[in-house]
Amino acid sequence: MSYVAVERADTLGAAGVSGTAPLQGPETRRRRPSGWHLLLVPVALLMIFPFVWLIITSASTLAETRVFPPTLPAGFPVTWIQNLVHNYREAWTQAPFGRWVLNTTIVTFTVVIGNLAFCSLAGYALARLRFFGRTALFLVILATLMVPFQVVMIPVLLICKYLGMVDTLAALVVPNLVTPFGIFLLRQFFKTLPVEIEEAARIDGATRLGTLVKVLLPSMAAPLATVGIMTMLWSWNDFLWPLIAITSQDNMTLQLGLSSFVGSHVTNWPVLMAGTVMTQIPMLLIFLVAQRWFVQSFASSGVKG
Amino acid sequence: MSTSDAAATAPRTLRAGRWDRLLGSESTTGWLFVSPAVLVIGLFGVAPIVWSIVLSFQSNDLVTPATWVGMANYKALLKDPMFAASVRRTIVYTLLFVPIVTVAALAVAVALNRRLRGMRFYRTAVFAPVVTSTVATAIMFNWLLDPDFGIVNALLVKLGLPAQGFFQSPSQALYCIVVMTVWGWLGFAVIIYLAALQGVPLELMEAAAIDGATRWRAFRRVQLPLLGPATLFLVIWLSINALQLFDEIYVTTRGGPLSATTVVVYYLYQQAFQLFEAGYATAIAYVLFLGILLLTVVQLLIGRKFVYYRS
């Protein structure tokens, strides 16, 4: 089932990249513009406008945001750039954004690596190896996948307290090192792979781990990317868990830090907008570069249900 | 299930003696491979589920020793007017959010499924909010909808309409949350529909066209039924997330004004981390879980009746 999903996602990704290519083909005829633009232009503008206004506001002076009705900031482009530099510098010095970027990067990176490694191992074992209690274990993992986080968050907090992890980055990393979602997705994928490849490697004397790492994983770019991208996005943007697990400013993630920044800067919109832009740039850049992989990951993780 | 798996996995050429040894070593390897997962999910997934059941039968402020209160938390919940109100708000939100996202995404996906000029721009515009964090989304909309200096009010005034309170108006705040989250989730839903649309064979649409069907009829009778599974998945997934709405509320309205946006999870958060009623909060969480489970089962049952699956 998941194989079908991945295959579909592939065509989607390919179309996403080459969607405009057929227009350049020899069979292209001059046609009147499609009526679909009437729907797509307003939708696209609505989707983009918040970003545009965000950036424009971060290029304004404080006084310019205190006028009604609001207008474009004066002095394009020189004053805009001066305002931009001023606001971003203000945001950067008023809150430890650098520290928050570092924290979030450490957490996200570790969680992604942990998930790729441990979910592969567990997914492989659950799909291929016969061991006592396998079916029961798989059912338990499926069950935890369905329980909403709100049900477990207080006990998880208490366990973290017990382990001395509260208000440290470890609290954000350790509970998320392995996710039921990743295990489930990779197990389903391993099930679709032909056993013969592994058998050949095993007959040649490779160990299970060697087979997994050298033979199977290299051919699993799509499902591994899905697990990696979904855990990256989730970890980078997570809010509720950091909100209750982290208290000191130095250990905050970007999203938590940004929300605490709101409280103290709710009247200074240009600086707040500058801070918001800064927190979104890393993920947006990664997305723009790897859009195809993102779309494919969403599609293949989505169709899994 | 496990026996057929085993039969498929086992190399058929092995003899009985080595078979036993292999079984032994495979069992060890199996447990070694799953051990990190068992450790983490056991400690932070399974144990907390059990613990929270106990917690929901306790009066527990997370500091002083807990006392066993039996069903008292659940009984109090049934009589709590604040909780009932938070459930109502959550239902109103879900009933607006899920259909709007689903229908809008379907229209946009059908449009994006064609080969048009500027497709890359359209796609990027629609998908970009998906990677934007909920916190950033909330901050942006807070500014767009600012009653005093916001651009949306400026637009309304220009059109000759009165300026609105938006997030600061008890009668509008929840609807503003709907608009904001629709913006944030549309791209995800479009991706799901696009993937499903690309699974619809072109020949089917061509066959319908040859049979003289108008474009609308072909869509209605051929394409739409084939999108059933994707729609069912989307509706379930969006509902689960709608019932768990929290981040956007925390950043924009903190449940206000006058509790107008105190949805279930925000109420739970207040009980747990502002009033330190961990037992009561966990009882809320279990009721929420039950609600999600119930809704999902109902949706699946309805889906089984109406959704057409190609074999």
Side-chain angles (χ1 to χ4, degrees):
Chain A
M1 187 161 94
S2 118
Y3 178 67
V4 176
V6 170
E7 200 178 51
R8 257 192 210 171
D10 260 324
T11 53
L12 174 69
V17 169
S18 59
T20 50
L23 284 175
Q24 292 141 16
E27 70 276 12
T28 306
R29 276 163 286 154
R30 276 202 160 270
R31 278 177 298 185
R32 69 190 168 84
S34 161
W36 288 105
H37 290 289
L38 290 177
L39 170 71
L40 286 174
V41 169
V43 168
L45 288 181
L46 279 175
M47 299 308 270
I48 288 238
F49 184 73
F51 293 117
V52 174
W53 195 240
L54 175 75
I55 290 165
I56 289 178
T57 306
S58 77
S60 313
T61 63
L62 181 57
E64 280 167 335
T65 59
R66 294 279 175 77
V67 196
F68 189 86
T71 48
L72 287 181
F76 183 83
V78 180
T79 321
W80 282 40
I81 292 168
Q82 282 168 350
N83 291 340
L84 267 178
V85 171
H86 172 262
N87 291 329
Y88 284 79
R89 194 177 277 162
E90 276 292 294
W92 189 264
T93 52
Q94 283 177 18
F97 276 100
R99 181 70 195 242
W100 294 340
V101 172
L102 188 70
N103 288 345
T104 318
T105 311
I106 292 170
V107 169
T108 303
F109 188 76
T110 323
V111 168
V112 168
I113 298 293
N115 269 280
L116 289 178
F118 299 141
C119 293
S120 299
L121 283 173
Y124 175 74
L126 288 170
R128 280 287 197 270
L129 302 177
R130 288 162 298 136
F131 56 90
F132 178 74
R134 180 178 74 168
T135 311
L137 183 64
F138 181 61
L139 289 178
V140 169
I141 290 175
L142 267 188
T144 57
L145 187 63
M146 292 193 297
V147 176
F149 174 67
Q150 291 83 7
V151 169
V152 293
M153 69 180 178
I154 296 170
V156 170
L157 184 70
L158 294 174
I159 292 169
C160 285
K161 206 177 258 175
Y162 206 76
L163 297 173
M165 298 196 304
V166 166
D167 200 19
T168 68
L169 294 188
L172 305 180
V173 172
V174 179
N176 300 316
L177 271 181
V178 187
T179 50
F181 160 77
I183 295 176
F184 179 74
L185 197 101
L186 291 178
R187 175 197 178 266
Q188 298 307 89
F189 191 82
F190 279 119
K191 284 241 159 217
T192 64
L193 293 179
V195 196
E196 285 74 24
I197 314 169
E198 280 163 73
E199 281 173 3
R202 299 271 297 148
I203 288 165
D204 289 347
T207 60
R208 283 285 180 189
L209 191 63
T211 317
L212 174 63
V213 173
K214 293 198 186 114
V215 181
L216 297 181
L217 292 186
S219 64
M220 291 175 53
L224 287 176
T226 301
V227 172
I229 286 175
M230 298 311 281
T231 29
M232 173 176 76
L233 256 182
W234 186 82
S235 183
W236 186 273
N237 289 338
D238 189 25
F239 182 68
L240 180 55
W241 174 237
L243 176 68
I244 58 182
I246 302 292
T247 46
S248 54
Q249 203 185 38
D250 275 352
N251 293 328
M252 286 181 174
T253 57
L254 261 183
Q255 307 312 329
L256 182 58
L258 182 62
S259 91
S260 77
F261 194 62
V262 176
S264 45
H265 293 80
V266 76
T267 46
N268 194 337
W269 287 105
V271 173
L272 179 56
M273 290 298 132
T276 307
V277 173
M278 285 196 295
T279 62
Q280 296 310 301
I281 281 180
M283 199 47 76
L284 267 176
L285 278 183
I286 297 177
F287 167 71
L288 287 178
V289 172
Q291 186 175 343
R292 199 195 130 182
W293 287 96
F294 272 79
V295 171
Q296 180 178 311
S297 298
F298 272 107
S300 58
S301 66
V303 190
K304 82 179 195 303
Chain B
M1 173 173 131
S2 66
T3 46
S4 70
D5 287 349
T9 324
R12 281 169 203 88
T13 49
L14 290 174
R15 279 185 212 105
R18 287 178 63 196
W19 179 272
D20 286 337
R21 224 178 54 206
L22 186 84
L23 203 82
S25 80
E26 206 172 304
S27 206
T28 322
T29 321
W31 276 103
L32 267 176
F33 276 22
V34 294
S35 56
V38 167
L39 210 68
V40 173
I41 294 180
L43 192 58
F44 297 103
V46 179
I49 294 177
V50 179
W51 190 343
S52 64
I53 294 176
V54 176
L55 207 58
S56 75
F57 293 117
Q58 289 179 335
S59 171
N60 191 331
D61 62 1
L62 302 180
V63 184
T64 52
T67 47
W68 187 266
V69 296
M71 294 297 285
N73 284 330
Y74 290 97
K75 278 183 190 151
L77 208 49
L78 286 179
K79 285 187 217 133
D80 182 351
M82 289 289 287
F83 177 68
S86 76
V87 170
R88 270 199 303 276
R89 287 179 206 116
T90 310
I91 292 173
V92 168
Y93 169 78
T94 306
L95 285 179
L96 287 170
F97 171 78
V98 176
I100 294 176
V101 172
T102 311
V103 172
L106 179 61
V108 173
V110 168
L112 283 180
N113 196 35
R114 316 188 148 255
R115 299 201 159 113
L116 301 173
R117 232 169 259 276
M119 193 49 83
R120 281 197 78 159
F121 165 73
Y122 290 140
R123 279 175 192 256
T124 308
V126 172
F127 298 162
V130 177
V131 295
T132 309
S133 78
T134 48
V135 178
T137 305
I139 293 174
M140 278 192 276
F141 275 79
N142 223 359
W143 173 225
L144 291 169
L145 298 176
D146 187 86
D148 299 323
F149 305 114
I151 183 100
V152 177
N153 257 345
L155 220 69
L156 288 181
V157 169
K158 197 156 205 176
L159 293 173
L161 298 164
Q164 303 293 322
F166 298 119
F167 286 124
Q168 292 178 25
S169 149
S171 60
Q172 295 172 358
L174 194 62
Y175 303 107
C176 294
I177 302 272
V178 172
V179 170
M180 175 168 75
T181 46
V182 166
W183 181 85
W185 276 87
L186 184 71
F188 169 78
V190 168
I191 291 173
I192 300 296
Y193 268 134
L194 269 177
L197 277 169
Q198 259 143 40
V200 177
L202 266 178
E203 304 88 68
L204 278 181
M205 293 299 280
E206 280 163 9
I210 290 168
D211 288 348
T214 60
R215 266 181 165 184
W216 170 250
R217 269 187 79 86
F219 168 74
R220 181 73 192 70
R221 302 278 173 191
V222 179
Q223 223 167 12
L224 200 59
L226 291 173
L227 293 178
T231 307
L232 180 63
F233 164 78
L234 250 185
V235 167
I236 290 176
W237 190 243
L238 292 172
S239 306
I240 291 176
N241 279 283
L243 295 177
Q244 292 179 272
L245 174 73
F246 173 81
D247 298 5
E248 290 89 343
I249 304 248
Y250 181 89
V251 180
T252 50
T253 59
R254 303 246 164 161
L258 299 174
S259 303
T261 56
T262 303
V263 289
V264 171
V265 176
Y266 196 82
Y267 189 58
L268 186 164
Y269 172 81
Q270 284 180 321
Q271 291 293 330
F273 300 105
Q274 290 172 0
L275 305 171
F276 302 103
E277 296 276 3
Y280 196 58
T282 315
I284 298 177
Y286 263 99
V287 172
L288 173 73
F289 181 23
L290 207 72
I292 293 177
L293 221 56
L294 218 68
L295 182 64
T296 308
V297 168
V298 169
Q299 286 170 338
L300 280 173
L301 286 178
I302 295 175
R304 233 183 30 200
K305 213 165 171 186
F306 291 105
V307 172
Y308 166 72
Y309 287 93
R310 277 180 299 160
S311 53

